[in-house]
Every structure is written in structure tokens, then in C-alpha cells.
Amino acid sequence: MKYFLPTGEWPLLEKPYHDLMKRIGLTLGHEENSDVLLLAGGADIGMRKGRDLAEFHLYDTWTSRKKPVLGICRGMQLMLHLNDGELIEHIPNASTEIMHTTITGDWRGQSSWHTTNLGLLTNSRHHQGFTQIPEFWDVIDKTDDGVIEAVQMNVHNKNQFAVQWHPEHNEMNNTLAQDWWIETVKSIL
């Protein structure tokens, strides 16, 4: 099977994604000959209009063809946003109930390590997120404060899966969390 990683005039360090997908047995393809769409991390939705438009179109095309879609960080945000999910623009400002902190007790919006309800130590690097998801999606994992870290569509295209954290980063290699991500992806392909 082949996967397509959209790249364009936006910065994206591609090698970590390619290395991760090789562990699943997928090779890089092109839009027209790929089986799986991988929506990667990056700038917030609305920050790069060209990227937004390109990925919105790709997501719509892929889902209309019932092809698998995977999302990482921004990719998850995009998938839920396009399915009418309510994005929290800035978690620290959202509510006093949401205290999205690291395991060390602070929040800086970068290099934040979180332990999820599944017991996974994840490397979420985000200040945006979701505490509720759209209809037809299931929460697979979240943190104690309710910020959703993994989702999967439960009807139509059950082959859509996304995480808020970064399984492709080097510090995640050979961890329980990365192994869980790989096995989950394999199960839906």
C-alpha cells in the first residue's frame, strides 16, 4: 500500500513521517496512486490559507472515495473541524476546568508530555484541541482534563483515525505510545 503526504509551499519536515509509515509497511506515493492520506502536523488552521484549502480539498476527495485518512496533530484538528467539531482556539484560555498540563505540572505549549487515560506517555505539542467531538466519531483516548488525544470515525469511513500528539518524532521511537499508534493504524487499513 502507498500513502500520500501533502506537501506544498508550507514548511514540513517529511522524513519522520516517512520513517513512521515504513514501520507500518507503507511506501510514499502520489495523490493519484495512493491508498492512504496522511494529514500531518504544522501551523494552526487559518494560519496558512493555501495549505488549508489544499488539505480541505484532499480530505473531501479521500472521504468521498472512502479511502483511509490518518491525522497527526493539525491533521486531527482539520479532520474534526471539517466534520463540525468545535475547536478550542487556545486551551489555557478556554476554561478553568481545562488545565492541560505536562506531567511536570506546567504548560508552555511546547514539548508537553502528557499521560493519557490509556496510560500512554504522549508528546503533545499543541495549544489547540477538542473536548467534544462531532457526531459519528469516537474518543479513543484523552487526558485527565478532558482534552481529546485520539479519535476514530465510527460510521461510514471507519478508516479515519487521528491523534493530537506526534508519533513520528524521534523521542517516540519504540515507545508504548508509538507502538499503540502503529497497531491501531494497521487494524484500520
Side-chain angles (χ1 to χ4, degrees):
M1 289 182 80
K2 294 182 184 263
Y3 72 97
F4 177 59
L5 176 66
T7 58
E9 297 179 15
W10 54 86
L12 181 65
L13 187 58
E14 298 174 40
K15 186 178 181 328
Y17 294 101
H18 300 321
D19 291 345
L20 180 64
M21 299 306 275
K22 280 182 198 173
R23 291 196 55 203
I24 300 170
L26 298 177
T27 58
L28 181 63
H30 301 283
E31 179 180 353
E32 56 279 349
N33 73 345
S34 292
D35 308 290
V36 179
L37 174 63
L38 174 61
L39 296 171
D44 295 343
I45 296 169
M47 297 286 292
R48 297 190 182 276
K49 298 289 186 194
R51 181 178 183 179
D52 290 348
L53 293 174
E55 290 183 344
F56 291 175
H57 173 74
L58 284 167
Y59 179 79
D60 286 344
T61 300
W62 236 260
T63 56
S64 71
R65 295 178 183 160
K66 297 188 177 4
K67 288 186 169 187
V69 180
L70 306 175
I72 294 176
C73 193
R74 171 196 155 86
M76 180 178 121
Q77 294 172 7
L78 184 140
M79 292 164 73
L80 295 179
H81 171 75
L82 291 176
N83 284 281
D84 297 322
E86 187 175 324
L87 179 68
I88 301 169
E89 292 290 336
H90 191 60
I91 292 170
N93 296 343
S95 163
T96 56
E97 287 92 37
I98 301 173
M99 303 297 292
H100 203 49
T101 59
T102 68
I103 58 173
T104 59
D106 65 345
W107 185 90
R108 298 193 196 318
Q110 297 295 320
S111 300
S112 299
W113 290 90
H114 304 280
T115 302
T116 69
N117 291 345
L118 289 178
L120 304 175
L121 182 60
T122 63
N123 59 348
S124 286
R125 290 175 168 88
H126 59 277
H127 72 100
Q128 295 185 325
F130 292 83
T131 56
Q132 296 180 12
I133 58 171
E135 187 178 11
F136 308 120
W137 287 81
D138 288 329
V139 173
I140 306 298
D141 200 9
K142 61 184 176 178
T143 55
D144 288 341
D145 58 9
V147 175
I148 296 166
E149 295 289 333
V151 296
Q152 185 171 1
M153 187 171 260
N154 62 28
V155 296
H156 309 302
N157 294 340
K158 292 185 179 185
N159 55 2
Q160 293 189 37
F161 169 69
V163 294
Q164 184 62 65
W165 45 280
H166 290 273
E168 80 284 4
H169 284 191
N170 286 338
E171 71 265 15
M172 297 305 292
N173 287 344
N174 303 310
T175 62
L176 178 64
Q178 187 186 65
D179 292 345
W180 175 83
W181 186 89
I182 289 168
E183 291 307 312
T184 303
V185 170
K186 284 180 177 178
S187 75
I188 67 167
L189 294 182

